[in-house]
């Protein structure tokens, strides 16, 4: 809020307001006001029907679809007799209280409850004010946050690009979804550690090294190192393609493009095909790297350092930060050999043309290579030992891998092997998967790198913003604002559907200010942020406790307030599903509710100053909740655009 806005008050603890309610484990009436109203309804049900426990009654209090706040289906409780008669009797004996003002029934035995409107406004708005604006009551937590995960440690590995390459759009979904999960678990009180496990090891680095000896240019490396290394990689792959038999050339390019978004070596096979000069040189170079040959590691170390530096700049733009950068190179080669030896003793590993192969057929997980015929390791082997290292270091309660559904089999094999090795904590590993994006390129269809997509989305947003010259002239940093709106457009389109679904990247839909899009969401926040600038004559506002909540009982105000009260539930549901789409759906509904109220709940032009101030309080607190949800999605809420 501006300096003219009221300083939030903590004169009355929200806990005091719920002390008359029964206590039920799993509810948080002091942080989620709607929990209190549900408890009040559940208490009335247990009074009327003693055979129903408080827990059963509470579980039966569902959100209503329309015309009421909560619905209870009496048939679910199997009370005997006719549900409609039970409902009618309940209605006849119902008496309103500070929590519930009315109940209605349907012929099928459903009870429709409506909360005390003024009490709803007071409790919801006070909770938002206390927990979001004061921030002292719950530390740095915002409204909707909780301590449900307190005392539990969770590791989340996501993004994980390959070094020495530009950030490929194939890694965007893992980055966006992973960042959301990190924010979500932190919001729910978990000790959360975010890990970026870089693809920094494998034969591909032998390939780049061989290419660099042939095509490397020191001046280009100084100017644009990662771009130059990528160009070297493309050139040496052309050489590799030229050396392959004609029968393999036809699908080589398709496999190469697909491999750009994968971890190193996932596309590799360890067969007996005749190796080309380039391929043999690359294998030999990586063999020297894995053997610790210092001359072979000098360039690789520089490439890794330069890659991380560039990625950190990219992540800063994306509003993403990692606690640690790890990498496959950090996994001990000796420990990998020992792990394979352990599996051999268990009778799970066999020799296949010189390679070490694990057979998981009895679990319908196929076979997988652990060591190549030249003794170098595979991605799977490094994953196994990497997980063991993390357990020894962190003693986690859960470790999540945010990886594409294309790798479902790999993750299943990896988890199964750890379980077979006798690690009880293997059950704490979880794969959060997601579908693919198709058609993600610039409008001309020429790019697959994220920085180009971001730049073009920013350009599109800037063009849109410049159409309103007056507003555009008031923006201090239009380049920054355009980029943030563009990023919001990209992220919202990505997270809007269930994460397992594939989706088609669509420029026109993504950048529209109409419909449920990122730009629309930013516009909703900007409009709420403008209310103080447009109404300086009624500032400063009085303390929230001193306003007349009766001014906020109109249907449009009530609708907004109920939506605000549902935000903590939206966060808890997201924790169960690990779906960002639920938060986006919530924010869009809230934005629609606010948008429909602007012409009804007037602030400017309202002759009753106290009513105008009460409405401003409502809109400012709605802005706080909208902003909290956007931050959960790793978005940056804007004040002007």
């Amino acid at each position: 809020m501006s300096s003219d806005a009221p300083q939030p008050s903590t004169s009355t603890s929200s806990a005091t307001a719920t002390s008359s309610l029964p206590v039920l484990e799993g509810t948080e009436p002091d942080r989620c006001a709607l929990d209190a109203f549900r408890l009040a309804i559940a208490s009335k049900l247990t009074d009327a029907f003693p055979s129903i426990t408080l827990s059963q009654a509470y579980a039966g209090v569902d959100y209503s679809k329309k015309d009421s706040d909560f619905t209870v289906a009496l048939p679910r409780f199997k009370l005997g007799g006719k549900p409609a008669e039970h409902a009618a009797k309940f209605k006849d004996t119902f008496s309103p209280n500070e929590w519930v003002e009315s109940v209605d029934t349907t012929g099928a035995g459903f009870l429709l409850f409506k909360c005390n409107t003024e009490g709803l406004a007071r409790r919801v708005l006070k909770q938002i004010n206390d927990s979001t604006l004061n921030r002292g009551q719950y530390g740095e937590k915002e409204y909707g946050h909780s301590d449900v995960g307190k005392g539990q440690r969770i590791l989340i590995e996501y993004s994980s690009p390959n070094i020495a390459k530009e950030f490929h759009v194939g890694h965007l979904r893992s980055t966006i979804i992973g960042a959301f999960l990190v924010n979500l678990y932190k919001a729910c009180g978990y000790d959360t550690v975010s890990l970026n496990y870089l693809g920094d090891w494998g034969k591909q680095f032998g390939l780049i090294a061989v290419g660099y000896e042939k095509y490397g240019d020191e001046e280009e490396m100084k100017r644009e190192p990662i771009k130059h290394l990528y160009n070297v990689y493309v050139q040496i792959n052309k050489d590799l393609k030229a050396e392959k038999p004609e029968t393999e050339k036809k699908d080589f390019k398709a496999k190469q493009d697909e491999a750009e978004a994968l971890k190193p070596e996932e596309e590799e096979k360890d067969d007996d095909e005749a190796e080309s000069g380039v391929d043999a040189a690359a294998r030999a170079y990586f063999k020297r790297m894995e053997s610790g040959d210092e001359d072979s590691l000098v360039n690789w170390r520089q490439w890794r350092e330069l890659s991380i530096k560039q990625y950190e700049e990219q992540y800063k733009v994306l509003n993403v930060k990692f606690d640690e950068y790890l990498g496959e190179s950090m996994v001990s080669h000796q420990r990998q050999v020992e792990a394979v030896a352990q599996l051999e003793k268990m009778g799970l590993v066999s020799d296949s043309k010189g390679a070490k192969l694990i057979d998981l057929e009895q679990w319908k997980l196929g076979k997988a290579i652990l060591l190549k015929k030249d003794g170098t390791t595979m991605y799977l082997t490094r994953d196994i030992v990497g997980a063991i290292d993390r357990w020894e270091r962190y003693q986690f309660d859960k470790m999540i891998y945010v990886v594409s559904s294309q790798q479902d089999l790999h993750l299943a094999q990896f988890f199964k092997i750890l379980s077979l090795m006798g690690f009880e904590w293997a059950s704490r590993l979880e794969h959060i998967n997601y579908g693919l994006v198709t058609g993600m390129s610039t409008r001309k269809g020429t790019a697959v790198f994220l920085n180009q997509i971001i730049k073009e989305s920013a350009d599109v947003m800037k063009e849109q913003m410049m159409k309103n010259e007056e507003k555009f002239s008031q923006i201090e940093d239009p380049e920054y604002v355009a980029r943030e709106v563009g990023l919001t457009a990209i992220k919202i389109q990505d997270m809007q559907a269930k994460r397992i679904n594939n989706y088609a990247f669509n420029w026109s839909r993504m950048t529209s200010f109409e419909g449920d899009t990122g730009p629309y969401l930013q516009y909703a926040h900007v409009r709420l942020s403008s209310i103080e600038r447009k109404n300086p004559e009624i500032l400063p506002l009085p303390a929230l406790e001193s306003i007349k909540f009766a001014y906020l009982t109109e249907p449009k105000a009530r609708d907004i307030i109920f939506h605000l009260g549902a935000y903590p539930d939206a966060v808890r549901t997201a924790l169960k599903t690990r779906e960002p789409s639920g938060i986006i759906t919530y924010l869009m509904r809230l934005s629609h509710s606010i948008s429909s109220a602007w012409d009804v709940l007037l602030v400017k032009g309202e002759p009753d100053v106290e009513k105008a101030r009460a409405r401003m309080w409502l809109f400012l607190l709605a802005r706080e909740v909208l902003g909290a949800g956007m931050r959960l999605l790793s978005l940056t809420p804007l004040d002007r655009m």
Side-chain angles (χ1 to χ4, degrees), residues 15 24 54 72 91 94 107 132 202 337 428 431 435 485 498 511 624:
L24 180 63
L54 182 65
V72 174
K91 181 181 178 181
F94 172 84
T132 298
V337 173
R428 305 183 187 190
H431 177 201
V485 179
K498 299 292 185 183
T511 55
E624 296 300 328

Side-chain angles (χ1 to χ4, degrees), residues 17-314:
T18 60
S19 57
S20 62
L21 294 173
V23 176
L24 180 63
E25 185 177 356
T27 64
E28 296 181 290
D30 296 335
R31 291 188 180 179
C32 178
L34 296 190
D35 279 7
F37 287 92
R38 280 184 294 226
L39 279 170
I41 293 170
S43 182
K44 280 188 170 292
L45 288 172
T46 58
D47 288 345
F49 308 106
S51 63
I52 303 175
T53 67
L54 182 65
S55 178
Q56 291 170 332
Y58 185 86
V61 182
D62 298 318
Y63 283 107
S64 297
K65 292 183 178 179
K66 61 178 182 178
D67 300 328
S68 62
D69 298 323
F70 294 105
T71 299
V72 174
L74 288 182
R76 68 178 289 164
F77 298 116
K78 296 180 173 57
L79 296 169
K82 297 180 179 179
E85 292 178 0
H86 288 302
K89 184 177 180 181
F90 182 93
K91 181 181 178 181
D92 290 342
T93 58
F94 172 84
S95 58
N97 59 20
E98 61 177 313
W99 302 100
V100 189
E101 65 183 28
S102 67
V103 65
D104 207 345
T105 63
T106 70
F110 284 65
L111 300 173
L112 310 177
F113 292 91
K114 193 171 183 180
C115 301
N116 180 291
T117 301
E118 193 171 328
L120 179 72
R122 180 181 293 104
R123 289 179 171 89
V124 169
L125 297 185
K126 187 179 187 320
Q127 278 189 355
I128 300 169
N129 185 43
D130 287 349
S131 59
T132 298
L133 302 183
N134 288 333
R135 296 186 188 273
Q137 191 171 356
Y138 307 124
E140 289 302 309
K141 289 186 176 296
E142 296 191 281
Y143 175 64
H145 293 194
S146 72
D147 288 329
V148 67
K150 188 175 182 179
Q152 298 182 64
R153 174 172 290 171
I154 184 164
L155 274 58
I156 303 179
E157 177 198 302
Y158 65 105
S159 191
S160 304
N162 302 328
I163 70 165
K165 294 182 183 178
E166 296 272 6
F167 197 103
H168 191 277
V169 294
H171 294 282
L172 180 63
R173 293 212 79 188
S174 175
T175 305
I176 292 174
I177 295 168
F180 164 73
L181 291 173
V182 169
N183 293 340
L184 177 65
Y185 277 97
K186 284 182 177 178
C188 295
Y190 288 84
D191 174 12
T192 308
V193 181
S194 56
L195 305 175
N196 196 338
Y197 185 58
L198 299 172
D200 65 353
W201 207 240
K203 194 198 77 175
Q204 71 162 2
F205 298 103
L207 189 62
I208 294 173
V210 171
Y212 192 76
E213 291 173 352
K214 187 174 182 180
Y215 299 110
D217 184 306
E218 289 300 321
E219 292 302 315
E220 285 294 318
M221 274 295 290
K222 290 177 182 177
R223 281 195 293 270
E224 293 184 280
I226 305 305
K227 183 178 181 180
H228 180 54
L229 288 172
Y230 175 74
N231 290 336
V232 166
Y233 182 71
V234 171
Q235 284 296 116
I236 197 64
N237 264 287
K238 287 180 180 178
D239 292 352
L240 183 62
K241 178 183 177 182
E243 293 180 355
K244 284 184 173 290
E246 285 298 322
T247 55
E248 296 181 24
K249 287 183 181 180
K250 60 183 180 180
D251 64 345
F252 181 82
K253 181 63 169 63
K255 289 182 178 179
Q256 182 183 1
D257 289 344
E258 183 180 355
E260 285 298 314
L262 298 176
K263 281 284 192 183
E265 301 183 321
E266 285 176 28
E267 71 278 13
E268 289 187 24
K269 302 294 181 185
D270 193 55
D271 53 30
D272 270 347
E273 69 180 43
E275 291 182 341
S276 67
V278 172
D279 197 49
R283 286 183 183 276
Y285 198 102
F286 177 59
K287 174 73 172 175
R288 294 196 299 274
M289 286 175 62
E290 198 152 52
S291 298
D293 179 62
E294 190 59 34
D295 291 341
S296 302
L297 292 169
V298 171
N299 281 341
W300 169 82
R301 288 198 185 97
Q302 181 189 25
W303 301 339
R304 189 181 194 278
E305 184 179 342
L306 289 168
S307 297
I308 291 176
K309 183 178 180 181
Q310 178 164 312
Y311 290 151
E312 284 179 329
E313 293 172 359
Q314 189 78 74

